Amino acid sequence: MAKHMDQLTGLADHSALVADLKQSIAAEDGVALAVLDLDFFMEINTHFGHDVGDQVLKTLASVLKETAPESSYRVSGDEFAVVMPGCSLEQAFLRAETIRFKVHEAYQGFQPSLGREVTVTIGVAQCPRDAKDDQSLMRVADAALSSAKEAGRNLVALPPNEEMVMKSCYYSVTAVRKLKGLAERVKRKESRLLREALDDLLRKYDQP
């Protein structure tokens, strides 16, 4: 069956997102969901007009088509989503960070005319770890998105009370202990420090 498409961005729409989530969950292979919001998009529309706002939306859509061409969606307004079949929560977190970084890069040309950076905030959740069905997964991902907004925006957050660093199998116990100690000394979250390190890594190696 052909997917329902959003006319402005060319991405699949909300109904396609629901159908694809149901299918991925039924496959019982694990699926992660990232929900994205453009930061302060209403202000951009208000101060610069809908034509500029539409171009900002299209730019985000182009990044998503490049990074996740088969699984990106425009949910509504300035809210988008990416479905990641077969992804653990940790893997989805890192993919979402890559998307956030690439989105930030893509909007560099808007800064002179808008007088501000254009960024996205992302919430990530995983089934069956955080939810068992599509509706619950979307609610938990939205809760993670709200947490990210409360923490300052332009970042990726996991569901409330989840700490990717502590639960990840990719870090040794010694490394996690050192990271926690560093976070306490500088009074920042472990995930925030990891984000900074990932940004530096992408700048170093992800050059055209």
Side-chain angles (χ1 to χ4, degrees):
M1 183 190 303
K3 290 184 179 181
H4 294 151
M5 308 301 289
D6 173 64
Q7 291 186 349
L8 177 65
T9 63
L11 296 178
D13 66 8
H14 179 264
S15 62
L17 168 64
V18 173
D20 288 350
L21 270 182
K22 288 179 181 293
Q23 182 177 353
S24 295
I25 290 171
E28 298 182 351
D29 191 30
V31 59
L33 172 67
V35 291
L36 306 81
D37 263 7
L38 276 161
D39 295 328
F40 306 111
F41 179 70
M42 288 185 63
E43 294 182 11
I44 294 173
N45 258 347
T46 300
H47 291 108
F48 301 98
H50 289 282
D51 287 344
V52 173
D54 285 352
Q55 189 57 49
V56 169
L57 293 172
K58 290 177 182 178
T59 298
L60 174 53
S62 68
V63 174
L64 295 180
K65 288 174 185 176
E66 177 186 344
T67 55
E70 301 300 324
S71 55
S72 298
Y73 310 80
R74 185 185 182 194
V75 180
S76 64
D78 65 330
E79 183 176 347
F80 294 74
V82 175
V83 174
M84 295 174 267
C87 266
S88 68
L89 187 63
E90 292 82 6
Q91 292 168 331
F93 179 93
L94 294 174
R95 286 190 63 184
E97 275 288 8
T98 299
I99 291 171
R100 186 196 62 78
F101 178 83
K102 288 186 176 295
V103 166
H104 183 264
E105 281 192 324
Y107 283 122
Q108 296 304 302
F110 284 87
Q111 290 187 37
S113 57
L114 298 182
R116 63 181 302 169
E117 291 188 334
V118 182
T119 58
V120 292
T121 300
I122 306 176
V124 179
Q126 199 262 359
C127 174
R129 184 170 181 168
D130 302 306
K132 306 301 182 185
D133 59 69
D134 58 295
Q135 295 299 316
S136 297
L137 185 61
M138 287 190 282
R139 283 195 297 270
V140 176
D142 281 336
L145 177 63
S146 296
S147 295
K149 290 180 178 179
E150 292 171 3
R153 301 177 186 261
N154 188 26
L155 53 86
V156 179
L158 302 176
N161 300 320
E162 284 278 16
E163 279 297 336
M164 183 272 292
V165 176
M166 294 306 298
K167 295 178 180 294
S168 174
C169 62
Y170 302 124
Y171 305 97
S172 67
V173 173
T174 301
V176 170
R177 188 181 301 117
K178 288 181 177 180
L179 181 61
K180 285 182 67 65
L182 174 61
E184 290 172 359
R185 289 197 302 275
V186 300
K187 294 181 170 54
R188 305 187 75 175
K189 289 186 176 181
E190 297 101 301
S191 57
R192 188 92 181 190
L193 293 175
L194 276 182
R195 193 194 86 181
E196 293 178 8
L198 182 60
D199 281 351
D200 289 342
L201 187 65
L202 288 170
R203 289 191 188 97
K204 182 177 180 180
Y205 292 105
D206 191 25
Q207 299 296 327

